[in-house]
Amino acid sequence: MTKCLNSFSNRMPWIEKYRPQTLGDLIVSDETLTQLSKWVEAWKDGTPAKTTLILHGKPGMGKTSCAYAIANYAGWNVVEMNASDQRNRDSVRRVALMASLYSDITSFASPENATRKLILVDEADNMFESRSAETGGDSGGTAELARVVRETRNPIIITMNDFYEFRRRGQNREIADNAMVIDFSPYKRKNTNDYKQFRLKLMKRVRYILDSENVSLPQSLINEVMDRDSMDLRSIINDLESFCGGSGGKTHDFDFSFRDETESPFNIMISTFKSSTYDDVLDALMSKEDEFSTEDYLMWIDKNLPDEAKEFEDLANAFDLVSLSDVFIGRVLKKQHYAFKRYSEEIAAGVSTRITKRNQSFVKYQFPSYISAMSRMKGTRASRKSIATKLGRVTHSSTSTAMDYMWFFSYISRKDRRGYASMADKLVISEKEEDVLKKT
Amino acid sequence: MKLRISVKNLKEIADLLNTIVSEAKLTLKKDGVTIKAVDPAHVAMVSLEIPSGSFEVYDLDAEEDISLDIERLKSILKLASSGDVISITKEKDRLKFEMGTIVKTLSLLDNNTITTPRVPQVSSESYVVVAKYELEKGLKAAEDVSDSIRLTLTANDFRARSLSDTEESEMILSKELLKEIRCEESVKSSYPLDYLLKLVKSLSSTDSLKLSFKDDYPLTIEFEFGQPAKGSSDGYIKGIFLLAPRMEQ
């Protein structure tokens, strides 16, 4: 097991403790950094043309942290409207509009008088989701925000996940036109220069955090965490912290994505392979998390079995059992007799009985690569489905049929550019959907 | 802890706080209660000093902070009749309100979730003391014209003016109509009308307000309100309300 030394000095979670303080701490490309500092500088001599900064990108990339780092760097106070606040016309007017037109009363308390304040509209995606009065969704909120952006005398930062979706709604195009837009995805594709640069900066930051905490982790492990959490800085830092026993001071198990009190998949793997009796395995399975389904269980076994069964014959026998279990799962799903899943699970639980020569040494159980691959592709899959639905509608076929013929539509889109343009217009194809179509 | 205060006083305090915040932290000290709050947009700030003389009974076990949901407090006060006196006691993390035949409890909020602002030391040589009803008239006239109101103070008069593309509203109070005025060089600055109006409306027992400001500088409004409890002479509540100036383009 990896041993980490813990610093007990500060119990703040790392993600808070190492929130970037200045622009230099941000893990962004040099180009983005230049853009950000230009925007901040522009505020030094009056109100610039682009009053607003839109930061968009996946969650966990540091958009909010960036806003606070900018405020810290420029010496601005922050007035925040976050997702938990009500986001209707009235509240936008009361908070954002007021803040945008008047100076900051609290700033008069400090000697360097009357500095600007930064208005942070965080997670603006949610602002436009619901129209019900109850949840305080959009009822004139976006129109009011457009007014704020038009009239403000103070800098505004709006963060959101999906800029293209945002721009399509109501008066948001006006907001977008008045804003400097920065894409917070650090790279488009793996193994490009951007990607390498990003990883390098990230590694530097991770090293800095680990050094400050006076802990050491093997490089291979850091790489593994970075790979699994792909681009999500928040998850990477949280995972590394939980790895080092966090601020609580106890060492956790190797456990990436499930952090619950119940038996983690990792522990279930230990029970499955290391228990002396079959009943012990069943006991462990009783206390597994609800989200950890039989299918997940099979995938975990599938991934880790080769490390446990070193003899070819054992491996073959064990996989026979797993495949038998898989056959039953298939039938259960097909007939929708979900109560019978339990039997399939119990068949698979006997996998270690097929191994004659158990691996006595420590095995580092791994997260099934299939699951992480699927979760990485989640966004792509959603876009794939939505474009298939759109195509299905015009070709009079079902979504799944359109999905089967995606190669064909993709071919057309590449070969017949004019035809594609008119089709894209008619179907209102978003950028993400276009990406999916082109890459198929 | 045991406090007794008239419904009128408590209601006025709650109404005033509610003009800018929905939750507030009260600091209970030996000689009275202080409250400081800032609105979410950092435009308005209020600071209150409620002397123990405003309370019929002011009996503390220890000095402490308590945080309240002001809107919930207001709805409890609606249950009381205006002549009542309320008894307030603390039971663990709750406040118990007894008024006439009704007993209500209110959960306290976590003190750490409510920030107490530092009240800036702003001062200006120029000030005016104006009757509340005069100011209220001028503010109401401007209400449907614009979001902001421009205050101008000269040696001879005090003006409040609002302007939109199509309409205009102005109140002119000459020296004779003012209780006090002090201004050597004329000053002007714009402030959020909405907050001013809400403040004036919430102060039911105040007669006059002292307004001091200068060019592009916060507006300080000083006032007294409430009724001293029986047998107390210095039981008036002192309030300071600060408003940030509008930033000129």
Side-chain angles (χ1 to χ4, degrees), chain B residues 97-139:
Chain B
F97 296 84
E98 291 171 67
M99 46 205 159
T101 53
I102 310 277
V103 180
K104 285 282 268 187
T105 57
L106 180 62
S107 293
L108 293 172
L109 306 172
D110 181 356
N111 283 328
N112 296 323
T113 59
I114 297 172
T115 50
T116 334
R118 265 174 63 205
V119 178
Q121 294 299 315
V122 291
S123 66
S124 164
E125 299 291 300
S126 315
Y127 69 85
V128 60
V129 180
V130 56
K132 193 190 75 178
Y133 74 92
E134 291 280 12
L135 183 63
E136 191 168 355
K137 259 200 297 188
L139 297 175

mmCIF file of all heavy atoms in Angstrom, chain B residues 97-139:
data_model
loop_
_atom_site.group_PDB
_atom_site.id
_atom_site.type_symbol
_atom_site.label_atom_id
_atom_site.label_comp_id
_atom_site.label_asym_id
_atom_site.label_seq_id
_atom_site.Cartn_x
_atom_site.Cartn_y
_atom_site.Cartn_z
ATOM 1 N N PHE B 97 -40.531 32.655 21.132
ATOM 2 C CA PHE B 97 -41.244 33.934 21.208
ATOM 3 C C PHE B 97 -42.580 33.715 21.904
ATOM 4 O O PHE B 97 -43.368 32.872 21.482
ATOM 5 C CB PHE B 97 -41.501 34.502 19.809
ATOM 6 C CG PHE B 97 -40.251 34.852 19.063
ATOM 7 C CD1 PHE B 97 -39.545 33.889 18.356
ATOM 8 C CD2 PHE B 97 -39.776 36.156 19.065
ATOM 9 C CE1 PHE B 97 -38.387 34.214 17.673
ATOM 10 C CE2 PHE B 97 -38.613 36.484 18.373
ATOM 11 C CZ PHE B 97 -37.920 35.516 17.679
ATOM 12 N N GLU B 98 -42.821 34.473 22.975
ATOM 13 C CA GLU B 98 -44.119 34.393 23.645
ATOM 14 C C GLU B 98 -44.796 35.748 23.554
ATOM 15 O O GLU B 98 -44.247 36.764 23.971
ATOM 16 C CB GLU B 98 -43.927 34.012 25.115
ATOM 17 C CG GLU B 98 -43.444 32.585 25.292
ATOM 18 C CD GLU B 98 -43.055 32.313 26.739
ATOM 19 O OE1 GLU B 98 -43.945 32.304 27.607
ATOM 20 O OE2 GLU B 98 -41.843 32.146 26.977
ATOM 21 N N MET B 99 -45.984 35.748 22.984
ATOM 22 C CA MET B 99 -46.726 37.019 22.860
ATOM 23 C C MET B 99 -48.190 36.713 23.101
ATOM 24 O O MET B 99 -48.798 35.956 22.362
ATOM 25 C CB MET B 99 -46.488 37.615 21.487
ATOM 26 C CG MET B 99 -46.616 36.593 20.385
ATOM 27 S SD MET B 99 -45.714 37.008 18.911
ATOM 28 C CE MET B 99 -45.570 35.387 18.169
ATOM 29 N N GLY B 100 -48.729 37.300 24.174
ATOM 30 C CA GLY B 100 -50.111 37.038 24.525
ATOM 31 C C GLY B 100 -50.349 35.552 24.676
ATOM 32 O O GLY B 100 -49.669 34.875 25.443
ATOM 33 N N THR B 101 -51.271 35.019 23.879
ATOM 34 C CA THR B 101 -51.630 33.609 24.012
ATOM 35 C C THR B 101 -50.809 32.706 23.092
ATOM 36 O O THR B 101 -50.967 31.494 23.095
ATOM 37 C CB THR B 101 -53.116 33.420 23.676
ATOM 38 O OG1 THR B 101 -53.350 34.002 22.385
ATOM 39 C CG2 THR B 101 -53.989 34.099 24.714
ATOM 40 N N ILE B 102 -49.944 33.305 22.293
ATOM 41 C CA ILE B 102 -49.211 32.527 21.273
ATOM 42 C C ILE B 102 -47.760 32.282 21.689
ATOM 43 O O ILE B 102 -47.093 33.167 22.193
ATOM 44 C CB ILE B 102 -49.179 33.286 19.929
ATOM 45 C CG1 ILE B 102 -50.570 33.758 19.513
ATOM 46 C CG2 ILE B 102 -48.512 32.462 18.848
ATOM 47 C CD1 ILE B 102 -51.397 32.738 18.813
ATOM 48 N N VAL B 103 -47.290 31.052 21.452
ATOM 49 C CA VAL B 103 -45.866 30.745 21.633
ATOM 50 C C VAL B 103 -45.340 30.184 20.313
ATOM 51 O O VAL B 103 -45.903 29.244 19.761
ATOM 52 C CB VAL B 103 -45.658 29.695 22.740
ATOM 53 C CG1 VAL B 103 -44.170 29.391 22.903
ATOM 54 C CG2 VAL B 103 -46.245 30.170 24.055
ATOM 55 N N LYS B 104 -44.272 30.786 19.800
ATOM 56 C CA LYS B 104 -43.689 30.290 18.544
ATOM 57 C C LYS B 104 -42.193 30.110 18.737
ATOM 58 O O LYS B 104 -41.559 30.846 19.485
ATOM 59 C CB LYS B 104 -43.887 31.333 17.422
ATOM 60 C CG LYS B 104 -45.289 31.424 16.875
ATOM 61 C CD LYS B 104 -45.592 30.299 15.934
ATOM 62 C CE LYS B 104 -45.295 30.656 14.501
ATOM 63 N NZ LYS B 104 -45.759 29.592 13.591
ATOM 64 N N THR B 105 -41.631 29.122 18.025
ATOM 65 C CA THR B 105 -40.170 28.998 18.069
ATOM 66 C C THR B 105 -39.596 29.178 16.666
ATOM 67 O O THR B 105 -40.273 28.914 15.664
ATOM 68 C CB THR B 105 -39.707 27.623 18.602
ATOM 69 O OG1 THR B 105 -40.277 26.619 17.780
ATOM 70 C CG2 THR B 105 -40.094 27.422 20.034
ATOM 71 N N LEU B 106 -38.369 29.614 16.647
ATOM 72 C CA LEU B 106 -37.684 29.883 15.386
ATOM 73 C C LEU B 106 -36.268 29.319 15.490
ATOM 74 O O LEU B 106 -35.561 29.609 16.448
ATOM 75 C CB LEU B 106 -37.651 31.409 15.180
ATOM 76 C CG LEU B 106 -36.990 31.967 13.928
ATOM 77 C CD1 LEU B 106 -37.712 31.485 12.678
ATOM 78 C CD2 LEU B 106 -37.019 33.495 13.958
ATOM 79 N N SER B 107 -35.877 28.509 14.504
ATOM 80 C CA SER B 107 -34.522 27.947 14.531
ATOM 81 C C SER B 107 -33.497 29.027 14.214
ATOM 82 O O SER B 107 -33.705 29.828 13.314
ATOM 83 C CB SER B 107 -34.379 26.840 13.493
ATOM 84 O OG SER B 107 -35.173 25.769 13.839
ATOM 85 N N LEU B 108 -32.404 29.009 14.946
ATOM 86 C CA LEU B 108 -31.335 29.958 14.652
ATOM 87 C C LEU B 108 -30.518 29.444 13.483
ATOM 88 O O LEU B 108 -30.449 28.243 13.237
ATOM 89 C CB LEU B 108 -30.441 30.114 15.884
ATOM 90 C CG LEU B 108 -31.115 30.787 17.075
ATOM 91 C CD1 LEU B 108 -30.221 30.728 18.285
ATOM 92 C CD2 LEU B 108 -31.457 32.223 16.748
ATOM 93 N N LEU B 109 -29.892 30.371 12.769
ATOM 94 C CA LEU B 109 -29.039 29.981 11.652
ATOM 95 C C LEU B 109 -27.603 29.863 12.150
ATOM 96 O O LEU B 109 -27.242 30.411 13.190
ATOM 97 C CB LEU B 109 -29.121 31.031 10.551
ATOM 98 C CG LEU B 109 -30.524 31.360 10.053
ATOM 99 C CD1 LEU B 109 -30.479 32.548 9.121
ATOM 100 C CD2 LEU B 109 -31.136 30.164 9.334
ATOM 101 N N ASP B 110 -26.803 29.157 11.372
ATOM 102 C CA ASP B 110 -25.390 29.018 11.696
ATOM 103 C C ASP B 110 -24.698 30.378 11.550
ATOM 104 O O ASP B 110 -24.705 30.971 10.482
ATOM 105 C CB ASP B 110 -24.768 27.998 10.733
ATOM 106 C CG ASP B 110 -23.300 27.765 11.021
ATOM 107 O OD1 ASP B 110 -22.761 28.451 11.915
ATOM 108 O OD2 ASP B 110 -22.717 26.900 10.362
ATOM 109 N N ASN B 111 -24.095 30.837 12.638
ATOM 110 C CA ASN B 111 -23.445 32.154 12.612
ATOM 111 C C ASN B 111 -22.390 32.281 11.517
ATOM 112 O O ASN B 111 -22.162 33.358 10.988
ATOM 113 C CB ASN B 111 -22.776 32.444 13.958
ATOM 114 C CG ASN B 111 -23.791 32.859 14.997
ATOM 115 O OD1 ASN B 111 -24.804 33.475 14.677
ATOM 116 N ND2 ASN B 111 -23.532 32.514 16.239
ATOM 117 N N ASN B 112 -21.758 31.145 11.190
ATOM 118 C CA ASN B 112 -20.672 31.213 10.216
ATOM 119 C C ASN B 112 -21.152 31.459 8.793
ATOM 120 O O ASN B 112 -20.370 31.819 7.924
ATOM 121 C CB ASN B 112 -19.863 29.912 10.235
ATOM 122 C CG ASN B 112 -19.193 29.721 11.566
ATOM 123 O OD1 ASN B 112 -18.743 30.690 12.170
ATOM 124 N ND2 ASN B 112 -19.168 28.489 12.042
ATOM 125 N N THR B 113 -22.435 31.202 8.546
ATOM 126 C CA THR B 113 -22.922 31.371 7.179
ATOM 127 C C THR B 113 -23.274 32.830 6.888
ATOM 128 O O THR B 113 -23.547 33.184 5.751
ATOM 129 C CB THR B 113 -24.164 30.510 6.922
ATOM 130 O OG1 THR B 113 -25.187 30.896 7.864
ATOM 131 C CG2 THR B 113 -23.859 29.041 7.092
ATOM 132 N N ILE B 114 -23.300 33.646 7.933
ATOM 133 C CA ILE B 114 -23.687 35.035 7.713
ATOM 134 C C ILE B 114 -22.502 35.954 7.962
ATOM 135 O O ILE B 114 -21.904 35.951 9.031
ATOM 136 C CB ILE B 114 -24.878 35.400 8.604
ATOM 137 C CG1 ILE B 114 -26.043 34.515 8.180
ATOM 138 C CG2 ILE B 114 -25.220 36.865 8.480
ATOM 139 C CD1 ILE B 114 -27.222 34.587 9.031
ATOM 140 N N THR B 115 -22.165 36.702 6.930
ATOM 141 C CA THR B 115 -20.990 37.558 7.061
ATOM 142 C C THR B 115 -21.386 38.908 7.653
ATOM 143 O O THR B 115 -22.428 39.457 7.316
ATOM 144 C CB THR B 115 -20.329 37.808 5.704
ATOM 145 O OG1 THR B 115 -21.352 38.219 4.799
ATOM 146 C CG2 THR B 115 -19.664 36.559 5.173
ATOM 147 N N THR B 116 -20.545 39.397 8.539
ATOM 148 C CA THR B 116 -20.774 40.732 9.068
ATOM 149 C C THR B 116 -19.799 41.655 8.366
ATOM 150 O O THR B 116 -18.591 41.423 8.408
ATOM 151 C CB THR B 116 -20.474 40.782 10.579
ATOM 152 O OG1 THR B 116 -20.655 39.476 11.093
ATOM 153 C CG2 THR B 116 -21.371 41.743 11.282
ATOM 154 N N PRO B 117 -20.298 42.661 7.699
ATOM 155 C CA PRO B 117 -19.392 43.535 6.954
ATOM 156 C C PRO B 117 -18.658 44.489 7.888
ATOM 157 O O PRO B 117 -19.105 44.744 9.004
ATOM 158 C CB PRO B 117 -20.349 44.320 6.059
ATOM 159 C CG PRO B 117 -21.628 44.352 6.813
ATOM 160 C CD PRO B 117 -21.701 43.064 7.573
ATOM 161 N N ARG B 118 -17.529 44.971 7.409
ATOM 162 C CA ARG B 118 -16.884 46.071 8.119
ATOM 163 C C ARG B 118 -17.545 47.357 7.651
ATOM 164 O O ARG B 118 -17.635 47.614 6.452
ATOM 165 C CB ARG B 118 -15.392 46.103 7.763
ATOM 166 C CG ARG B 118 -14.535 45.350 8.766
ATOM 167 C CD ARG B 118 -13.109 45.280 8.286
ATOM 168 N NE ARG B 118 -12.493 46.596 8.165
ATOM 169 C CZ ARG B 118 -11.473 46.854 7.353
ATOM 170 N NH1 ARG B 118 -10.995 45.894 6.585
ATOM 171 N NH2 ARG B 118 -10.937 48.043 7.312
ATOM 172 N N VAL B 119 -18.008 48.143 8.583
ATOM 173 C CA VAL B 119 -18.678 49.372 8.183
ATOM 174 C C VAL B 119 -17.627 50.437 7.895
ATOM 175 O O VAL B 119 -16.811 50.757 8.737
ATOM 176 C CB VAL B 119 -19.635 49.858 9.289
ATOM 177 C CG1 VAL B 119 -20.294 51.162 8.877
ATOM 178 C CG2 VAL B 119 -20.681 48.802 9.562
ATOM 179 N N PRO B 120 -17.618 50.943 6.668
ATOM 180 C CA PRO B 120 -16.591 51.925 6.309
ATOM 181 C C PRO B 120 -16.777 53.240 7.070
ATOM 182 O O PRO B 120 -17.896 53.635 7.377
ATOM 183 C CB PRO B 120 -16.788 52.121 4.814
ATOM 184 C CG PRO B 120 -18.175 51.688 4.535
ATOM 185 C CD PRO B 120 -18.516 50.642 5.546
ATOM 186 N N GLN B 121 -15.666 53.884 7.382
ATOM 187 C CA GLN B 121 -15.729 55.195 8.036
ATOM 188 C C GLN B 121 -15.822 56.252 6.955
ATOM 189 O O GLN B 121 -14.824 56.695 6.418
ATOM 190 C CB GLN B 121 -14.461 55.408 8.869
ATOM 191 C CG GLN B 121 -14.322 54.461 10.043
ATOM 192 C CD GLN B 121 -15.458 54.611 11.038
ATOM 193 O OE1 GLN B 121 -15.831 55.720 11.385
ATOM 194 N NE2 GLN B 121 -16.028 53.512 11.481
ATOM 195 N N VAL B 122 -17.031 56.623 6.616
ATOM 196 C CA VAL B 122 -17.175 57.670 5.608
ATOM 197 C C VAL B 122 -17.621 58.936 6.319
ATOM 198 O O VAL B 122 -18.363 58.880 7.296
ATOM 199 C CB VAL B 122 -18.192 57.285 4.509
ATOM 200 C CG1 VAL B 122 -17.631 56.174 3.665
ATOM 201 C CG2 VAL B 122 -19.521 56.868 5.097
ATOM 202 N N SER B 123 -17.151 60.053 5.845
ATOM 203 C CA SER B 123 -17.592 61.291 6.468
ATOM 204 C C SER B 123 -17.566 62.407 5.446
ATOM 205 O O SER B 123 -16.776 62.391 4.505
ATOM 206 C CB SER B 123 -16.686 61.640 7.642
ATOM 207 O OG SER B 123 -15.407 61.941 7.149
ATOM 208 N N SER B 124 -18.474 63.320 5.622
ATOM 209 C CA SER B 124 -18.532 64.451 4.726
ATOM 210 C C SER B 124 -18.883 65.685 5.549
ATOM 211 O O SER B 124 -19.599 65.598 6.539
ATOM 212 C CB SER B 124 -19.580 64.212 3.645
ATOM 213 O OG SER B 124 -19.888 65.420 3.015
ATOM 214 N N GLU B 125 -18.363 66.821 5.128
ATOM 215 C CA GLU B 125 -18.645 68.077 5.818
ATOM 216 C C GLU B 125 -20.073 68.527 5.556
ATOM 217 O O GLU B 125 -20.672 69.229 6.357
ATOM 218 C CB GLU B 125 -17.682 69.165 5.313
ATOM 219 C CG GLU B 125 -16.222 68.846 5.562
ATOM 220 C CD GLU B 125 -15.890 68.903 7.036
ATOM 221 O OE1 GLU B 125 -16.060 69.980 7.624
ATOM 222 O OE2 GLU B 125 -15.492 67.862 7.602
ATOM 223 N N SER B 126 -20.592 68.139 4.383
ATOM 224 C CA SER B 126 -21.894 68.651 3.964
ATOM 225 C C SER B 126 -23.004 67.714 4.410
ATOM 226 O O SER B 126 -22.934 66.509 4.169
ATOM 227 C CB SER B 126 -21.953 68.773 2.443
ATOM 228 O OG SER B 126 -20.782 69.369 1.972
ATOM 229 N N TYR B 127 -23.996 68.271 5.050
ATOM 230 C CA TYR B 127 -25.128 67.442 5.437
ATOM 231 C C TYR B 127 -26.416 68.253 5.488
ATOM 232 O O TYR B 127 -26.397 69.496 5.472
ATOM 233 C CB TYR B 127 -24.866 66.762 6.778
ATOM 234 C CG TYR B 127 -24.839 67.678 7.971
ATOM 235 C CD1 TYR B 127 -26.027 68.033 8.626
ATOM 236 C CD2 TYR B 127 -23.642 68.183 8.457
ATOM 237 C CE1 TYR B 127 -25.995 68.888 9.722
ATOM 238 C CE2 TYR B 127 -23.605 69.020 9.549
ATOM 239 C CZ TYR B 127 -24.778 69.380 10.188
ATOM 240 O OH TYR B 127 -24.770 70.216 11.257
ATOM 241 N N VAL B 128 -27.501 67.526 5.542
ATOM 242 C CA VAL B 128 -28.807 68.157 5.621
ATOM 243 C C VAL B 128 -29.681 67.303 6.526
ATOM 244 O O VAL B 128 -29.566 66.086 6.534
ATOM 245 C CB VAL B 128 -29.413 68.312 4.200
ATOM 246 C CG1 VAL B 128 -29.585 66.976 3.536
ATOM 247 C CG2 VAL B 128 -30.741 69.043 4.234
ATOM 248 N N VAL B 129 -30.501 67.953 7.354
ATOM 249 C CA VAL B 129 -31.472 67.213 8.153
ATOM 250 C C VAL B 129 -32.854 67.531 7.597
ATOM 251 O O VAL B 129 -33.245 68.696 7.498
ATOM 252 C CB VAL B 129 -31.391 67.582 9.646
ATOM 253 C CG1 VAL B 129 -32.428 66.795 10.440
ATOM 254 C CG2 VAL B 129 -29.996 67.308 10.181
ATOM 255 N N VAL B 130 -33.527 66.491 7.176
ATOM 256 C CA VAL B 130 -34.777 66.699 6.448
ATOM 257 C C VAL B 130 -35.896 65.892 7.108
ATOM 258 O O VAL B 130 -35.660 64.817 7.665
ATOM 259 C CB VAL B 130 -34.574 66.318 4.952
ATOM 260 C CG1 VAL B 130 -34.068 64.923 4.819
ATOM 261 C CG2 VAL B 130 -35.829 66.505 4.134
ATOM 262 N N ALA B 131 -37.103 66.448 7.070
ATOM 263 C CA ALA B 131 -38.256 65.730 7.614
ATOM 264 C C ALA B 131 -38.523 64.502 6.765
ATOM 265 O O ALA B 131 -38.443 64.561 5.538
ATOM 266 C CB ALA B 131 -39.481 66.635 7.616
ATOM 267 N N LYS B 132 -38.862 63.395 7.416
ATOM 268 C CA LYS B 132 -39.042 62.151 6.693
ATOM 269 C C LYS B 132 -40.155 62.268 5.651
ATOM 270 O O LYS B 132 -40.004 61.801 4.521
ATOM 271 C CB LYS B 132 -39.352 61.005 7.660
ATOM 272 C CG LYS B 132 -39.239 59.645 6.993
ATOM 273 C CD LYS B 132 -39.766 58.539 7.858
ATOM 274 C CE LYS B 132 -41.274 58.556 7.872
ATOM 275 N NZ LYS B 132 -41.851 57.481 8.659
ATOM 276 N N TYR B 133 -41.276 62.918 6.034
ATOM 277 C CA TYR B 133 -42.396 62.957 5.079
ATOM 278 C C TYR B 133 -42.065 63.772 3.845
ATOM 279 O O TYR B 133 -42.530 63.481 2.750
ATOM 280 C CB TYR B 133 -43.689 63.429 5.762
ATOM 281 C CG TYR B 133 -43.730 64.912 6.058
ATOM 282 C CD1 TYR B 133 -44.275 65.810 5.141
ATOM 283 C CD2 TYR B 133 -43.235 65.403 7.263
ATOM 284 C CE1 TYR B 133 -44.306 67.168 5.410
ATOM 285 C CE2 TYR B 133 -43.256 66.751 7.538
ATOM 286 C CZ TYR B 133 -43.786 67.640 6.610
ATOM 287 O OH TYR B 133 -43.808 68.973 6.876
ATOM 288 N N GLU B 134 -41.216 64.813 3.993
ATOM 289 C CA GLU B 134 -40.812 65.606 2.827
ATOM 290 C C GLU B 134 -39.979 64.741 1.869
ATOM 291 O O GLU B 134 -40.209 64.716 0.672
ATOM 292 C CB GLU B 134 -39.965 66.812 3.260
ATOM 293 C CG GLU B 134 -40.694 67.880 4.023
ATOM 294 C CD GLU B 134 -41.496 68.809 3.117
ATOM 295 O OE1 GLU B 134 -41.675 68.494 1.934
ATOM 296 O OE2 GLU B 134 -41.944 69.861 3.633
ATOM 297 N N LEU B 135 -39.001 64.051 2.449
ATOM 298 C CA LEU B 135 -38.125 63.198 1.638
ATOM 299 C C LEU B 135 -38.944 62.111 0.942
ATOM 300 O O LEU B 135 -38.775 61.849 -0.245
ATOM 301 C CB LEU B 135 -37.039 62.564 2.514
ATOM 302 C CG LEU B 135 -36.008 61.708 1.789
ATOM 303 C CD1 LEU B 135 -35.203 62.542 0.794
ATOM 304 C CD2 LEU B 135 -35.058 61.023 2.768
ATOM 305 N N GLU B 136 -39.858 61.513 1.684
ATOM 306 C CA GLU B 136 -40.672 60.435 1.127
ATOM 307 C C GLU B 136 -41.484 60.922 -0.076
ATOM 308 O O GLU B 136 -41.589 60.227 -1.080
ATOM 309 C CB GLU B 136 -41.595 59.864 2.211
ATOM 310 C CG GLU B 136 -42.271 58.578 1.777
ATOM 311 C CD GLU B 136 -42.956 57.846 2.934
ATOM 312 O OE1 GLU B 136 -42.816 58.288 4.090
ATOM 313 O OE2 GLU B 136 -43.643 56.841 2.661
ATOM 314 N N LYS B 137 -42.023 62.136 0.028
ATOM 315 C CA LYS B 137 -42.787 62.718 -1.084
ATOM 316 C C LYS B 137 -41.924 62.818 -2.338
ATOM 317 O O LYS B 137 -42.333 62.440 -3.430
ATOM 318 C CB LYS B 137 -43.275 64.125 -0.702
ATOM 319 C CG LYS B 137 -44.725 64.182 -0.282
ATOM 320 C CD LYS B 137 -45.288 65.597 -0.398
ATOM 321 C CE LYS B 137 -44.589 66.577 0.530
ATOM 322 N NZ LYS B 137 -45.228 67.908 0.584
ATOM 323 N N GLY B 138 -40.709 63.335 -2.145
ATOM 324 C CA GLY B 138 -39.797 63.524 -3.271
ATOM 325 C C GLY B 138 -39.388 62.197 -3.901
ATOM 326 O O GLY B 138 -39.294 62.070 -5.123
ATOM 327 N N LEU B 139 -39.170 61.195 -3.059
ATOM 328 C CA LEU B 139 -38.769 59.883 -3.568
ATOM 329 C C LEU B 139 -39.906 59.220 -4.332
ATOM 330 O O LEU B 139 -39.713 58.608 -5.380
ATOM 331 C CB LEU B 139 -38.310 58.982 -2.420
ATOM 332 C CG LEU B 139 -37.069 59.440 -1.644
ATOM 333 C CD1 LEU B 139 -36.820 58.515 -0.454
ATOM 334 C CD2 LEU B 139 -35.838 59.480 -2.541
#
